Amino acid sequence: MTEWLSPEEWTAIRLSLKVALVAMAASLIPGIAAAYALERGRFWGRQALDVFVHLPLVLPPVVVGYALLISFGRRGPIGAFLAENFGIVFSFHWTGAALACAIMGFPLLVRAIRLSLETVDRKLEDAAGTLGAHPVWVFCVVTLPLILPGIIAGMVLSFAKAMGEFGATITFVSNIPGETQTIPTAIYTYTQVPGGEGGALRLTLVSVAISIAALWISEWMARRVRRRFLA
Amino acid sequence: MAHVSIRDVRKAFGTVSIIKGVDVDIQDGEFVILVGPSGCGKSTLLRMIAGLEDISSGDIRIGPRIVNDVPPKDRDIAMVFQSYALYPHMTVAENMAFSLKLKGVPKPEQKKRVTEAASSLGLTPLLDRYPRQLSGGQRQRVAMGRAIVRDPQVFLFDEPLSNLDAKLRVQMRAEIKELHQRLKTTTIYVTHDQIEAMTMADKIVVMHDGIVEQVGAPLELYDRPANRFVAGFIGSPAMNFIEGRLGPDGLGLPSGAVLPLDMKSQAEAGSEITYGIRPEHLQIAPAGTPGSIPATISVIEPTGSDTTLIVKAEGGNLTVVLRERCALKPGEAVALKPVPRQAHLFDAQGKRIATA
């Protein structure tokens, strides 16, 4: 295995997987909360939240990356605050790549969960209320299991987006081998140097394999959930 | 079990008024049906009693306490929905034990109560199945079982039989009535089907356009409808209405015939009134019989037990139901003779004005 991939390539693959998994996991709970708020909430500023959540989908990735750089960078207001008080550093660090990927994938995650929330029969939640259930309990025991297929779909989209994220990542955290160089930025680097075609091609194949595996796993999980929970 | 009282309850969505001041008293253990055409506000009122819908003004009491601001979970009710609202990811037993699990009832006690309810509803062999593996009637029974297991103060039913076929509906109607006779829990039941209301209720609340038109026992509504709406809504086939003018010898009909009235009415001579007569209170007489309504047979519908005639008379269609079979033919001219003391008179506003 190791012979046909160079150590640099392995590093990029490992880092990509780490960044994508962390981005996906970290955005899951905020994603469910945002989807629930947007679908069910009746509050002032809902429209604004909707626009804000969807911005990364329509903005050029470089713009998102630059916005992250000036707000979460070492000298940015949020970045400086987090670094001084909690020691959390995003800029030119793999956590910054994860943050950029999480934000770019967030609208896709929220949309998938929101779509499945739309299809939940509100009477099921009403019935739980009349049977004595607290709204939080209703959400955990009734709503959550029913939207699980949507959550899985959203997680896959978020993971896939993170695996492919380029513009925001390279703008925010640059392209440092071993620290912030993910598969896409590594491929880009290989195409810029003479004799790099082999590395680019190998990483492309790995990328395709990971994507197919992710799709297959999600399909398998969704089928299991549907068989277990739904008609 | 509890007494439920609804006092001047109103509901508006923005500027649209859905419930325009409803007062209803439901006695402990009573089976009350809210009935009315779609859009009359009956389901909204039920959801307000359940706490699923806020009330704009007025008071709802369950037992001694006002529940206006009490969340559904604390109202001690159980609601059965038209769509059954069973949890697709839970088995029949899990669905039925839902409320017990919430209350923290110990497992053996849960199992005991679910088993009891299941056996009384004939669900014992289905306890391990999922709702998707059940027929409509079975799902409805599970939904009822889930409500029974909760042992609430009040049962709320929202059109529970509307998704079932006609035969099953009749069967479930009897089962629900039998259930109520056994448990004697206060029950509020919403339907648009007046036959369901007539056959099941201790007391019917007829609603129309956000107000209560009349409250009473089924036969009371049938025999003495308070207004033209209730008269036309309760009873199948529906009551016949003929517009006429009150004269010295009786009611002047559009055809020029005069129908003698055998009842006291407060209406003044010369006023326009509506004459209402139920299909079974019209008899067929030979054409030209004095004091009758001239008519032409249009359609004959034999059902076996009785015969429904649609006749053309007084510029419209009237319905006649005969208990015996008849040898009439379409196109035949006849006279319709009202059974004495069975007519209903309504004034121009639709209010009942005569007492038989």
Side-chain angles (χ1 to χ4, degrees), chain A residues 121 123-124 126-135 137 141-142 145-146 227-231, chain B residues 47 50 52 72-73 77-79 81 83 85-90 98-99 102 130 132 146 150:
Chain A
D121 182 1
K123 295 254 163 62
L124 293 174
D126 287 351
T130 67
L131 289 166
H134 188 274
W137 213 83
V141 174
V142 176
L146 295 174
R227 202 178 309 146
R228 169 75 180 81
F229 287 144
L230 305 169
Chain B
R47 289 176 62 83
L52 299 172
K73 71 181 178 72
I77 48 158
M79 186 152 165
F81 294 83
S83 56
L86 298 178
Y87 299 117
H89 54 297
M90 297 181 196
F98 191 88
S99 64
L102 281 170
Y130 284 92
R132 63 176 178 276
R146 188 172 66 179
R150 173 154 162 78

Side-chain angles (χ1 to χ4, degrees), chain A residues 184-222:
Chain A
T185 50
I187 293 175
Y188 171 74
T189 307
Y190 280 123
T191 60
Q192 300 300 303
V193 296
E197 291 84 1
L201 184 64
R202 284 192 294 275
L203 284 180
T204 302
L205 291 174
V206 169
S207 187
V208 169
I210 292 174
S211 304
I212 290 175
L215 270 180
W216 185 79
I217 292 170
S218 82
E219 199 50 44
W220 176 76
M221 279 168 69

Side-chain angles (χ1 to χ4, degrees), chain B residues 116-183:
Chain B
E116 273 172 21
S119 85
S120 76
L121 290 163
L123 292 169
T124 308
L126 308 175
L127 282 174
D128 293 326
R129 299 228 191 137
Y130 284 92
R132 63 176 178 276
Q133 299 166 311
L134 305 179
S135 69
Q138 290 168 335
R139 284 181 207 188
Q140 190 56 72
R141 266 193 215 113
V142 176
M144 277 160 53
R146 188 172 66 179
I148 293 168
V149 167
R150 173 154 162 78
D151 189 22
Q153 298 262 350
V154 184
F155 280 128
L156 304 175
F157 287 89
D158 189 9
E159 307 231 10
L161 305 184
S162 299
N163 283 5
L164 303 177
D165 64 47
K167 198 174 166 190
L168 203 52
R169 205 149 55 212
V170 173
Q171 189 192 331
M172 290 300 291
R173 211 159 73 191
E175 280 186 33
I176 294 177
K177 196 169 178 176
E178 194 268 336
L179 183 78
H180 177 256
Q181 285 163 0
R182 185 155 50 84
L183 301 176

Side-chain angles (χ1 to χ4, degrees), chain A residues 153-179:
Chain A
M155 284 166 70
V156 172
L157 286 173
S158 161
F159 178 80
K161 180 73 193 172
M163 287 297 294
E165 218 303 306
F166 179 82
T169 311
I170 203 164
T171 313
F172 182 29
V173 293
S174 185
N175 185 6
I176 307 162
E179 187 58 55

Side-chain angles (χ1 to χ4, degrees), chain B residues 249-282:
Chain B
D249 310 320
L251 187 68
L253 300 179
S255 65
V258 174
L259 206 55
L261 295 178
D262 51 6
M263 53 191 55
K264 291 196 285 283
S265 110
Q266 301 98 312
E268 289 171 27
S271 57
E272 297 278 353
I273 62 165
T274 303
Y275 178 88
I277 183 98
R278 295 211 178 270
E280 68 270 29
H281 295 146
L282 285 171

